[in-house]
Amino acid sequence: MAAEFRYQLTIGAPNNQDEAGLRRLSAQLKAHEHHHELVLKGSELIAQGEKNSGGQLGRPSSARFRTYERLKSYVRENKGTLFVTEELLKAIDNIYRYQLRQSAIDTLNRQLRSGIRNQRLAELVVALRTDDRLCIVSEEIEKREPQIICSLGLFEEK
C-alpha cells in the first residue's frame, strides 16, 4: 500500500511550490515505513469497536437497536407483500440514520416491554414518523461514519 502511494506521488509533476512539501512527505513516509499499515489497523479497530457496541444504533438493549432489528427482520419476512410500504422503509432508514426523540424512545420501550407484535410495531413507527415524532432529523447529524482525519499523532518526533 505504501509503495502504491509513493507511486501516486510521482505521477504528477510538482511545481516549485509543491516540491518542498512533497520532499517532506516523502521523508516522513521513508522514516515511517509502517505508516499505512498502522492507519489501516487503527481503522479496523475503530470499525470493530463500532460493531461490538452496536454502531450507530447504540447498545443492543436500546429501543433504537431493538426496533431497528425487529423491523429489519419484519421487512425480510414480508418482502414483496403489501405490509412492506415505502413509508415503512423510510422510517427504518430514519431510525438507522438519526437519533430518536425522547418521546419516541419512551413509547417504543413501553411497547417493546409489553410484547408488541412486529406488524403493530411497524404501524406505530410509521405513525410516529408521519407525525414527525420519531427522529431528530438534522443535516449535521447525517454523516456519522468514523473517519481518520490525521495520523500525525501516531509517531513521536525524533
Side-chain angles (χ1 to χ4, degrees):
M1 187 173 219
E4 181 181 327
F5 183 69
R6 286 190 190 114
Y7 172 72
Q8 290 175 353
L9 286 176
T10 62
I11 291 175
N15 59 29
N16 288 338
Q17 293 174 344
D18 295 334
E19 194 169 336
L22 288 173
R23 282 195 179 134
R24 278 195 312 273
L25 179 59
S26 177
Q28 288 174 351
L29 287 173
K30 287 178 185 172
H32 306 294
E33 288 292 325
H34 302 291
H35 170 78
H36 288 86
E37 290 83 4
L38 288 171
V39 171
L40 179 63
K41 183 66 175 173
S43 301
E44 290 170 350
L45 289 172
I46 290 170
Q48 185 65 33
E50 287 288 315
K51 189 189 319 182
N52 288 344
S53 67
Q56 289 183 320
L57 298 172
R59 297 183 177 275
S61 60
S62 71
R64 186 176 176 196
F65 184 91
R66 292 184 299 154
T67 301
Y68 178 80
E69 289 299 323
R70 292 226 356 225
L71 292 178
K72 195 169 72 168
S73 171
Y74 176 74
V75 166
R76 205 174 21 251
E77 291 168 4
N78 294 290
K79 190 174 185 175
T81 67
L82 295 176
F83 295 117
V84 180
T85 63
E86 190 65 32
E87 287 301 313
L88 175 59
L89 296 175
K90 287 179 184 177
I92 293 171
D93 183 59
N94 280 10
I95 291 170
Y96 183 78
R97 293 175 57 187
Y98 303 109
Q99 202 173 5
L100 291 178
R101 294 186 183 277
Q102 188 59 48
S103 59
I105 293 171
D106 295 341
T107 300
L108 291 169
N109 272 330
R110 189 171 45 255
Q111 294 299 324
L112 290 167
R113 270 195 308 274
S114 71
I116 189 171
R117 292 177 306 133
N118 287 347
Q119 183 176 355
R120 277 293 297 139
L121 180 63
E123 293 168 1
L124 172 64
V125 166
V126 168
L128 288 171
R129 182 179 179 276
T130 302
D131 296 341
D132 196 27
R133 295 185 301 136
L134 182 63
C135 295
I136 302 169
V137 179
S138 169
E139 296 304 316
E140 297 168 8
I141 298 175
E142 197 162 324
K143 189 164 186 174
R144 290 186 171 261
E145 291 292 323
Q147 296 178 338
I148 294 180
I149 296 171
C150 178
S151 60
L152 292 175
L154 293 175
F155 304 104
E156 291 182 22
E157 281 293 319
K158 292 182 180 181

